[in-house]
Amino acid sequence: MKNILLILTLLFTSLGLQAQIDPYDEMKTNYDTYSKEKKYEEALLTAKQMNAWALENESDTSLRYATSYKYMGNSFSNLNKTDSAIYYFKKSQRILLDQNRELTKINAVIHRNLGNLYIKAENYEAAIYEYEKTISLYLKICKEEFALHAFIYDNLGVLYMEIYDFKKSFENFEKAEKFYAQNINAINPIDYANNQINIAVLYMKLGDFVNANKKFENLEKLLLNPEIPNYGTPKYFKKLSYCMNSFGKLYLRQGKIFEAENCFKQVLEIDKELDLNSDNHGSHLINYGDLLRLQKKYDASFNNYMLGLNIFLNNNNHYNTAKAKLYLAHLKSELGELEYADSLYKSALHILEDKFGNNNKVFFDAEYEYANFLMKIDKIQE
């Protein structure tokens, strides 16, 4: 009799626990799993199911209904469908505003995500606006989360550096550095390293090679210390790769070809620990290809350029695709393959104008390079 009662008790307990499982939470767990496994189509479908469930069971006033649109935006972003990602992030934001949930961390995260997407689309003014909104919200609702503040200030610094506003760039990098310095025991050294790399790159752009070298030398010591947290993880290798790649570019600008080549080779080895189909790896291949071109190792240079270009094409990265074609055009121009070079210049300009318009510095620079190429052809024909 006791055994029967025990079995019945266990059965009813099991049924009770099953009844307590929240369908939305269960779908969210599946969504997270799919995203982690890079099954982004499945993650998107799950996010849509979460949205439908929240609307039916909790109405359009629930936080989970608003949040489900953010998850759709994340999935579209992972699928490199930038326009759709922006649409769903903004839809999530509109619902949060209607629900009087503007001062929430999720809204700040959406602003940050939009900033990331606008960077990808080369819309730096929009990205700056989104990051300024992000930091404004973080300072109000996440006062103690110093790493978040520093991260956004760092991103703002990079953005201002991209549009050649070096004064504002340095101001934001310094704000990030201050947050790290004040909370050094609570900060991951790898995040601090990212800030220091950015400052070193800014020094390099300003032609201050002395301070740039000092920063990079200190960074090398920091990142090669096996006792730092996350040592040997993908996050660690990503920062190390970024640091050594920037160090290589610094050496190249100083005409130190041998040192630059060593750095770029190390970067390509480090990348083997990461995603070899990523845009970062594609950029590293382009950098190494450019060094090989300067050394007149044209076949090897061409191979690296093409490997980088194919990565950008597969990732639908229009900006980097155009840049890679410009590098290839330089190479073919040097080799006297002028028709091939001309077609590459035209293709790059078409991509830039079609995707980003013709009233921006990137397009102007490419147009200037093409004009110089045409002048070279005229002189040859004379």
Side-chain angles (χ1 to χ4, degrees):
M1 186 67 178
K2 285 183 179 180
N3 288 338
I4 294 173
L5 287 172
L6 179 59
I7 291 169
L8 288 172
T9 301
L10 290 172
L11 177 62
F12 288 134
T13 301
S14 175
L15 291 171
L17 288 172
Q18 287 179 23
Q20 291 173 19
I21 293 175
D22 187 309
Y24 188 96
D25 288 342
E26 189 174 10
M27 285 185 280
K28 176 61 168 61
T29 299
N30 293 335
Y31 169 85
D32 289 338
T33 301
Y34 288 137
S35 298
K36 189 174 181 180
E37 294 175 352
K38 297 185 178 181
K39 296 178 179 177
Y40 301 131
E41 293 285 359
E42 291 88 340
L44 176 60
L45 177 61
T46 305
K48 289 178 177 179
Q49 292 169 345
M50 293 161 69
N51 174 265
W53 186 92
L55 180 61
E56 182 179 348
N57 293 276
E58 297 181 349
S59 85
D60 59 2
T61 61
S62 78
L63 178 59
R64 295 202 290 191
Y65 174 72
T67 306
S68 63
Y69 283 110
K70 170 185 170 290
Y71 297 139
M72 288 186 217
N74 289 342
S75 297
F76 277 119
S77 178
N78 288 328
L79 289 165
N80 290 314
K81 296 181 179 179
T82 302
D83 290 343
S84 295
I86 290 172
Y87 172 82
Y88 282 102
F89 282 142
K90 287 191 171 183
K91 188 172 181 68
S92 180
Q93 273 188 332
R94 286 196 299 271
I95 295 168
L96 288 170
L97 291 175
D98 290 342
Q99 296 174 354
N100 294 316
R101 288 190 167 107
E102 181 181 6
L103 292 177
T104 55
K105 191 172 179 180
I106 184 172
N107 189 30
V109 169
I110 293 172
H111 277 296
R112 187 192 71 193
N113 291 350
L114 283 167
N116 294 341
L117 287 172
Y118 283 129
I119 289 174
K120 195 173 182 181
E122 296 293 310
N123 188 344
Y124 295 132
E125 288 185 6
I128 287 171
Y129 170 81
E130 296 296 343
Y131 280 141
E132 294 283 9
K133 288 288 291 182
T134 304
I135 196 64
S136 173
L137 287 168
Y138 278 163
L139 290 171
K140 290 175 184 175
I141 61 178
C142 312
K143 292 181 179 179
E144 302 302 317
E145 296 191 39
F146 306 112
L148 286 174
H149 303 159
F151 173 78
I152 297 301
Y153 279 129
D154 256 337
N155 281 1
L156 276 167
V158 171
L159 278 170
Y160 281 117
M161 186 161 56
E162 287 290 338
I163 62 173
Y164 296 89
D165 190 338
F166 295 137
K167 184 175 183 290
K168 286 188 178 179
S169 176
F170 201 79
E171 286 173 0
N172 279 280
F173 286 149
E174 280 195 320
K175 286 178 182 178
E177 189 176 34
K178 186 177 178 181
F179 270 109
Y180 287 128
Q182 290 175 341
N183 306 281
I184 197 67
N185 294 327
I187 294 294
N188 189 321
I190 292 179
D191 294 328
Y192 173 68
N194 188 68
N195 167 258
Q196 295 298 291
I197 294 169
N198 289 334
I199 294 174
V201 170
L202 180 57
Y203 278 134
M204 184 171 67
K205 285 182 178 288
L206 292 169
D208 187 348
F209 297 139
V210 173
N211 278 314
N213 269 313
K214 285 179 182 177
K215 286 286 184 187
F216 279 124
E217 286 168 4
N218 290 334
L219 278 162
E220 207 172 6
K221 292 175 187 175
L222 171 66
L223 289 172
L224 293 179
N225 179 3
E227 295 182 3
I228 67 169
N230 300 115
Y231 181 86
T233 64
K235 182 177 182 179
Y236 165 81
F237 284 119
K238 191 173 182 180
K239 296 303 178 197
L240 183 61
S241 175
Y242 178 35
C243 178
M244 296 308 295
N245 184 62
S246 300
F247 213 166
K249 289 162 96 173
L250 173 63
Y251 280 136
L252 193 57
R253 286 192 63 178
Q254 293 175 290
K256 298 179 179 179
I257 303 297
F258 177 75
E259 291 87 346
E261 184 172 20
N262 281 340
C263 282
F264 289 145
K265 284 182 176 178
Q266 286 182 56
V267 168
L268 294 176
E269 284 299 313
I270 295 166
D271 282 357
K272 291 177 182 178
E273 302 294 334
L274 301 165
D275 182 4
L276 291 178
N277 295 312
S278 72
D279 289 332
N280 281 338
H281 183 59
S283 295
H284 298 160
L285 288 165
I286 296 292
N287 287 338
Y288 187 45
D290 208 37
L291 176 69
L292 293 167
R293 180 177 65 85
L294 292 173
Q295 295 174 313
K296 300 189 184 303
K297 298 176 181 178
Y298 295 125
D299 287 342
S301 174
F302 178 78
N303 290 337
N304 277 272
Y305 283 157
M306 288 303 298
L307 287 170
L309 174 62
N310 287 328
I311 288 173
F312 302 143
L313 287 168
N314 289 334
N315 292 341
N316 293 316
N317 188 321
H318 305 295
Y319 174 74
N320 281 349
T321 295
K323 293 291 285 184
K325 289 191 174 187
L326 288 173
Y327 279 110
L328 278 164
H330 299 160
L331 174 62
K332 291 303 178 182
S333 177
E334 279 188 34
L335 293 172
E337 298 177 33
L338 302 183
E339 286 188 16
Y340 194 170
D342 186 69
S343 67
L344 287 163
Y345 276 119
K346 287 177 178 176
S347 177
L349 282 166
H350 174 74
I351 293 168
L352 291 172
E353 185 170 24
D354 182 54
K355 298 298 178 183
F356 311 113
N358 59 11
N359 190 27
N360 57 75
K361 189 179 185 303
V362 176
F363 183 82
F364 294 151
D365 287 347
E367 199 170 39
Y368 179 74
E369 289 177 27
Y370 185 47
N372 284 337
F373 168 74
L374 293 176
M375 288 173 64
K376 176 182 175 181
I377 292 177
D378 288 341
K379 286 181 181 180
I380 291 171
Q381 290 175 345
E382 288 175 2

